[in-house]
């Protein structure tokens, strides 16, 4: 786990240059069976070289989303807690024939979930 720093009441961690890390979103999601979410990074951090991997949030999935972050810049970057680093686009369609159900990432807790390969 990355060390959290606190400066002027703001918590942050440092993502070193040319590195990769995992984070977890604050909000707990519960996707309806007719909605797909696509998690994408926000431009403020992208302009600093921080890339948030595009991640699907499948119909029927629930939990705290683990996000993948990479720092493609030559500088260490601060990532602030409780600040929007990514956003989710919600797409509604027909009810999914095979919703996420009991998949291996169902009901993730508010902590980073590593790959289950």
């Amino acid at each position: 786990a990355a060390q959290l720093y606190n400066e002027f009441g703001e918590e942050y961690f440092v993502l070193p240059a040319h590195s990769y890390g995992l984070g977890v979103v604050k909000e707990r999601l519960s996707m309806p069976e007719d909605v797909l979410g696509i998690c994408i990074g926000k431009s403020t951090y992208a302009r600093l070289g921080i890339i948030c991997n595009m991640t699907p949030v499948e119909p029927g999935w629930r939990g705290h989303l683990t996000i993948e972050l990479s720092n493609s810049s030559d500088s260490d970057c601060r990532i602030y807690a409780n600040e929007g680093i990514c956003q989710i686009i919600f797409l509604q369609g027909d009810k999914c024939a095979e919703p996420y159900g009991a998949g291996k990432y169902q009901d993730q807790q508010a902590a980073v979930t590593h790959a289950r390969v």
Side-chain angles (χ1 to χ4, degrees), residues 1-5 12-16 21-22 112:
Q3 179 178 348
L4 275 180
Y5 299 95
Y12 66 92
F13 71 93
V14 176
L15 190 58
L22 298 174
V112 167

Side-chain angles (χ1 to χ4, degrees), residues 20-41:
Y20 167 87
L22 298 174
V24 64
V25 300
K26 183 177 178 179
E27 301 85 359
R28 184 180 190 284
L29 302 171
S30 184
M31 298 299 289
E33 292 183 4
D34 64 343
V35 175
L36 168 74
I38 301 171
C39 178
I40 59 173

